[in-house]
Amino acid sequence: MSLRPRHFVLLAIIIGLFVYNIIRHRHDERNAIPRASAPVAITTPRLNTPAWAAFDHAAALRDDPAATFDPALKDLNQLIPLDPNPTDGHLTDIKGCLTWLEFYRQGMAQTHPDPQMKTRATHHIDDCVKYHLDTGA
């Protein structure tokens, strides 16, 4: 089988596209924006309320069996409505952190399709414990 002129044109187009994609990929790598998020700068003082203390306790038990974790979660759910400053945004903070804690527990019970989910949930819960704020991570 002999190559005709149209075959050479097709080969040149294919090789040209290959070279173009390699150059474009290298250019994209050099100009890529780092994907690491900026660290959270917390300027407000850490709250120490009974609800946050209960959250700290429940977060410490997050990997324990349900028999140990569920009573701590029940105590936390009872103390959240008793938060002394529900109008200053901290009630929503503790509820957001509680949502991440429950998400973490559910995600550990079954495998999640996103392998980074445990890392994100762990990071968020640890920030909630550290700052007593829903960091929005």
Side-chain angles (χ1 to χ4, degrees):
M1 177 175 142
S2 63
L3 295 177
R4 297 181 187 234
R6 68 176 178 235
H7 294 130
F8 289 112
V9 171
L10 286 174
L11 282 173
I13 290 172
I14 291 171
I15 291 171
L17 285 172
F18 180 74
V19 170
Y20 171 76
N21 282 328
I22 289 176
I23 292 170
R24 185 180 57 141
H25 179 70
R26 288 184 181 169
H27 182 266
D28 289 346
E29 282 181 349
R30 275 187 247 128
N31 295 334
I33 298 171
R35 296 177 192 246
S37 61
V40 177
I42 304 297
T43 57
T44 58
R46 185 175 188 258
L47 289 177
N48 288 315
T49 63
W52 277 112
F55 178 83
D56 292 345
H57 179 65
L61 301 174
R62 66 183 175 230
D63 291 318
D64 289 357
T68 308
F69 178 76
D70 289 344
L73 186 63
K74 183 180 176 188
D75 291 344
L76 173 59
N77 282 322
Q78 290 174 348
L79 287 172
I80 286 177
L82 303 176
D83 194 26
N85 300 319
T87 58
D88 65 0
H90 297 294
L91 183 61
T92 56
D93 283 345
I94 197 164
K95 285 183 177 178
C97 290
L98 175 61
T99 301
W100 274 96
L101 183 61
E102 290 172 343
F103 181 75
Y104 176 89
R105 286 290 293 189
Q106 292 169 358
M108 297 307 99
Q110 51 191 306
T111 55
H112 196 277
D114 183 1
Q116 295 296 320
M117 224 27 159
K118 180 180 179 184
T119 306
R120 277 188 254 162
T122 301
H123 177 70
H124 193 106
I125 293 168
D126 290 344
D127 281 350
C128 287
V129 170
K130 185 176 180 182
Y131 302 117
H132 281 181
L133 288 172
D134 185 14
T135 59

